[in-house]
Amino acid sequence: MSKKLSLKDIILIALLTAVYMILYFIAMGIISVLGPFGHAISPGIAGILSGAVLYFMNRKIGKMWEYSLFTLIVMAIFALMGGAYLPWLITSMITAMIADFISSKSNDTPVWKLAISSGLMHMGQAWGAIIPSLFFVESYRNHWIARGQSPADMDANIYYTGGMFGILASVLTFALSFIGMYIGYLLLRKHFKEK
């Protein structure tokens, strides 16, 4: 098996990303009842729903940069929808690359490593709002108000992604995504004939 991503692998990653995005939007709908804090942990809800997608990706592809390419496509889709934000891209891509180094060297990576990788990737998505709320809040607030968010909505988002709420959102996002990978494993282990 070649260690480089082939065109077939790239197409499969793109298709799995489409499935992931559908699950992500379902997650956003589910979590919207919790308001701004729900938005802060929405990557974790997406992680719990999409563990099977990331598990399947590793078992079918299992090559370096699979999760980075996947995350880049996710970020491109959000950018096309008007959600491009450089800190979000940076935190998402850095954690996806770390996930690749942990999990993407073979297609039989232990589930606990895949779970850590999923936790990191989704936490990286959450950090796209948490880190700005902690370290450059005025710039973050002004940026999104200029893009059409109301000051009241931004203040609520900052409140629920800063300080202790930011730490809580990070931990919850990681934990939900970690659990999601085990759910994916339980759903698909017979398909891949795993114990």
Side-chain angles (χ1 to χ4, degrees):
M1 175 171 95
S2 170
K3 294 191 184 250
K4 292 185 178 179
L5 291 171
S6 67
L7 180 59
K8 179 180 156 189
D9 297 329
I10 293 168
I11 291 169
L12 180 56
I13 290 169
L15 291 172
L16 291 171
T17 305
V19 173
Y20 175 86
M21 291 303 295
I22 291 167
L23 294 171
Y24 201 105
F25 290 126
I26 290 169
M28 289 175 71
I30 291 169
I31 207 72
S32 65
V33 297
L34 294 179
F37 186 69
H39 182 73
I41 63 167
S42 62
I45 302 300
I48 204 165
L49 295 178
S50 66
V53 173
L54 298 177
Y55 177 81
F56 186 87
M57 185 182 302
N58 177 263
R59 292 306 187 245
K60 287 303 249 185
I61 300 170
K63 295 177 184 173
M64 193 63 177
W65 308 121
E66 63 189 349
Y67 292 141
S68 294
L69 178 58
F70 160 79
T71 299
L72 189 61
I73 296 170
V74 168
M75 291 292 105
I77 292 168
F78 279 118
L80 289 171
M81 294 170 46
Y85 184 54
L86 186 58
W88 190 25
L89 174 66
I90 292 169
T91 59
S92 296
M93 290 308 301
I94 288 172
T95 53
M97 287 187 279
I98 293 168
D100 275 324
F101 281 105
I102 293 170
S103 298
S104 297
K105 295 175 184 156
S106 76
N107 61 356
D108 64 351
T109 302
V111 179
W112 66 269
K113 284 187 175 183
L114 294 174
I116 289 171
S117 293
S118 179
L120 288 172
M121 285 192 300
H122 289 95
M123 202 166 60
Q125 290 179 13
W127 282 351
I130 292 168
I131 289 177
S133 291
L134 293 172
F135 298 108
F136 44 97
V137 67
E138 283 306 314
S139 168
Y140 172 57
R141 183 178 186 277
N142 293 337
H143 174 88
W144 286 103
I145 289 171
R147 290 178 67 174
Q149 289 286 327
S150 75
D153 285 346
M154 278 310 298
D155 290 340
N157 287 335
I158 289 165
Y159 179 78
Y160 285 106
T161 54
M164 289 307 293
F165 278 114
I167 294 167
L168 179 61
S170 297
V171 170
L172 280 174
T173 297
F174 183 91
L176 291 168
S177 303
F178 188 93
I179 292 166
M181 183 58 72
Y182 275 95
I183 292 171
Y185 163 73
L186 292 173
L187 292 172
L188 296 176
R189 67 182 172 177
K190 289 183 182 175
H191 174 76
F192 290 104
K193 297 180 174 63
E194 295 187 30
K195 294 179 183 178

